[in-house]
Amino acid sequence: MTRTHTKAGFNASQGVVRTEDIQRHQAMVKLVFEWMARTHASQQLLVRCIEEFWQRRGQADYRCDHSLLSRVLNPVDPHVPTPNRPRSMQILQAAMVVCARTSDPNVVNEATDDDAVWSSDDEQAFKIHRVRLRQLRENSRGSLFESLHRIGEFFAVARGLDDSRPSNTNGETLRCRASENVLLALAAVVDPGAEWTPLIDRLRHEGVADEEADRLVREQIARVEAILAAVQPSVNMNAYAGVVLFHSGQRQQGMERLMQAVAASHDFHLRHDPHWRTMFDLLERLLAAEDAEAVNWSRSVAAIAQTSMAREGGYAQLLREAWREVEVPLLRRTWREQAAALVNALDDAAAGPRATVPATPSRRVKAKVVLPIIAVLLALLGVGQMFATESLAIFAVGNEAAISTAAPLADRLAGIHGREASRPTDPPPPTDPPQA
């Protein structure tokens, strides 16, 4: 069969194959052959694994067509899965999960001085959980479908960690910190970091069938609800959960949680992260998309901002920093009409001396320029060496396809503004000895 290459892809018998379809197919083929070489598995075993994948997800009668799989894997004249080829897309989606190489959970980063001392099994589990979540975040742009399937394990682990005693000076248990990290990771996966795109539309764009896309969206909502029920939600958990719920179709509930987070953010030492930046980015995207609720939500957020500006303490500080860093021309114009005095106050604050609050950079600030400065500030605050050097969470997912998945995390643009809950500098007390 003759194919004519075009800028967007090439013409196939069932329509134009997009560049992203080709790239996704090439990534799948690479994963499959690496998996077969690593496990010494046959193609017939892969067929059974693909069938089990879909059967475990409710499709009891699913059968993988061996000849179609061979055509997809053909190195000379491959059959490229596209959204309008549902049978081959199901093969690709299952193979991306089945054959994904997950790093050995017992081989993590080089131990720092703090990490060289293990005090409990739960502490080890937390560290491994955090590092593997970081790996998932860094690779999440490869396949949204794959990332959503893999992250379920992390939710289960977080809910099972110790919740009986504080593990740091903020009074957070290991379960709380792990829960915050897993919500942060899921928020980074579901937020495209660019124009407003609901999660279900992104899944459909990847060729996920409507029924499966609906199931995956409902699953993310259930995961968020389960993790919030397992702990006392923190400011950061509300922010990350709000982002996930908003993109998963629970728009009002998600926006309300994000509003709660910005209203409560006032103390960077307590890890109240710069959620104002996430809020500003989201409102700007909604206004650009002419969303029906955007103006009303911007009015509600303006009221919260006015209250924050009037309160004593650090409530206004993170707000002013976000206003200084994030470019939001549409939101500025809207707030000029809704609350001109607020815009004037924020502009006056931005024109004054720069505050010293350490905060993660906005997605319009070059992270590789700002990151070393932030790391030094965080180290001075005593947050810990690992946090200062490794744990800044700066993400972009979804349609930032021009950035390689192998690019350093610090060189990517940010969709979610947050940071990991890292282990304490001082290890927690040893486990109580067994009673005689």
Side-chain angles (χ1 to χ4, degrees):
M1 180 173 65
T2 302
R3 290 183 172 89
T4 303
H5 290 265
T6 67
K7 183 177 180 180
F10 53 81
N11 294 323
S13 60
Q14 298 187 35
V16 174
V17 179
R18 304 165 301 178
T19 301
E20 59 204 85
D21 295 327
I22 299 172
Q23 293 172 339
R24 186 163 52 229
H25 170 254
Q26 291 172 341
M28 173 261 192
V29 171
K30 182 174 183 291
L31 276 177
V32 166
F33 284 111
E34 287 179 348
W35 176 80
M36 294 176 73
R38 187 169 68 249
T39 62
H40 305 289
S42 65
Q43 191 168 312
Q44 183 58 46
L45 176 60
L46 179 58
V47 168
R48 293 205 303 271
C49 289
I50 292 173
E51 288 178 344
E52 289 177 359
F53 177 88
W54 289 111
Q55 289 167 4
R56 286 196 304 269
R57 283 153 182 80
Q59 300 186 31
D61 298 329
Y62 176 83
R63 294 293 180 270
C64 176
D65 187 330
H66 199 156
S67 62
L68 179 57
L69 174 62
S70 297
R71 291 171 59 201
V72 171
L73 298 177
N74 188 332
V76 179
D77 189 21
H79 172 90
V80 179
T82 62
N84 63 346
R85 294 170 169 174
R87 292 171 62 232
S88 55
M89 279 302 299
Q90 282 195 294
I91 290 176
L92 178 143
Q93 290 158 0
M96 291 288 280
V97 177
V98 169
C99 300
R101 180 167 191 144
T102 56
S103 299
D104 185 343
N106 295 308
V107 180
V108 293
N109 296 355
E110 290 185 10
T112 65
D113 291 341
D114 293 333
D115 296 325
V117 180
W118 297 108
S119 61
S120 70
D121 290 345
D122 275 322
E123 183 68 15
Q124 289 197 50
F126 171 77
K127 175 177 167 58
I128 293 168
H129 183 262
R130 190 192 66 232
V131 174
R132 293 183 64 216
L133 269 176
R134 185 182 305 153
Q135 294 168 345
L136 175 67
R137 289 198 312 265
E138 292 178 3
N139 297 321
S140 63
R141 193 182 295 113
S143 168
L144 175 62
F145 181 86
E146 176 192 346
S147 297
L148 292 178
H149 275 284
R150 290 183 57 198
I151 204 168
E153 168 201 352
F154 296 97
F155 275 85
V157 171
R159 292 198 303 272
L161 287 178
D162 179 65
D163 196 44
S164 62
R165 60 181 176 179
S167 62
N168 61 14
T169 56
N170 289 340
E172 299 168 320
T173 65
L174 290 175
R175 183 186 298 176
C176 288
R177 291 154 61 203
S179 297
E180 185 172 305
N181 285 343
V182 78
L183 285 173
L184 168 63
L186 182 57
V189 169
V190 304
D191 191 327
E195 70 274 1
W196 153 240
T197 307
L199 175 60
I200 194 166
D201 289 346
R202 293 180 60 208
L203 287 166
R204 289 167 176 164
H205 185 72
E206 280 199 358
V208 180
D210 286 349
E211 183 178 350
E212 178 67 9
D214 288 339
R215 190 191 68 80
L216 280 171
V217 171
R218 292 195 306 272
E219 189 173 59
Q220 308 323 307
I221 297 171
R223 285 169 174 169
V224 170
E225 292 174 346
I227 207 77
L228 293 178
V231 296
Q232 180 64 38
S234 66
V235 171
N236 292 343
M237 288 186 206
N238 276 327
Y240 306 144
V243 170
V244 176
L245 293 173
F246 189 92
H247 286 80
S248 300
Q250 303 290 315
R251 284 162 44 101
Q252 187 60 40
Q253 183 182 356
M255 182 60 74
E256 287 174 359
R257 282 198 173 270
L258 189 52
M259 287 180 183
Q260 291 175 23
V262 297
S265 295
H266 69 282
D267 189 343
F268 191 84
H269 296 78
L270 292 178
R271 301 195 64 259
H272 292 177
D273 291 344
H275 304 304
W276 277 110
R277 301 178 186 217
T278 300
M279 176 65 83
F280 286 165
D281 277 340
L282 179 56
L283 288 176
E284 185 72 8
R285 282 182 273 169
L286 292 172
L287 289 168
E290 299 182 348
D291 187 276
E293 299 295 329
V295 173
N296 287 334
W297 279 330
S298 68
R299 183 177 292 107
S300 298
V301 174
I304 296 172
Q306 288 172 320
T307 301
S308 296
M309 291 291 286
R311 296 180 72 174
E312 295 182 357
Y315 289 93
Q317 204 165 13
L318 292 175
L319 168 60
R320 290 196 299 264
E321 284 294 304
W323 187 257
R324 187 196 302 267
E325 296 291 349
V326 182
E327 298 176 8
V328 284
L330 296 178
L331 180 60
R332 173 186 289 274
R333 186 183 312 155
T334 302
W335 276 9
R336 278 286 181 194
E337 299 173 357
Q338 296 174 344
L342 172 63
V343 177
N344 292 336
L346 288 170
D347 287 344
D348 290 343
R354 188 175 184 82
T356 58
V357 176
T360 51
S362 75
R363 62 189 173 99
R364 296 169 180 84
V365 177
K366 292 290 186 179
K368 61 184 178 181
V369 174
V370 183
L371 187 57
I373 300 173
I374 299 172
V376 171
L377 290 171
L378 292 173
L380 292 174
L381 286 172
V383 182
Q385 180 182 8
M386 175 175 291
F387 177 30
T389 56
E390 293 178 323
S391 299
L392 288 173
I394 303 170
F395 312 113
V397 292
N399 55 6
E400 300 286 352
I403 303 176
S404 168
T405 56
L409 196 59
D411 289 341
R412 301 182 188 177
L413 303 178
I416 297 296
H417 304 283
R419 51 181 169 154
E420 290 177 344
S422 61
R423 72 190 301 267
T425 301
D426 297 325
T431 303
D432 295 333
Q435 299 294 322

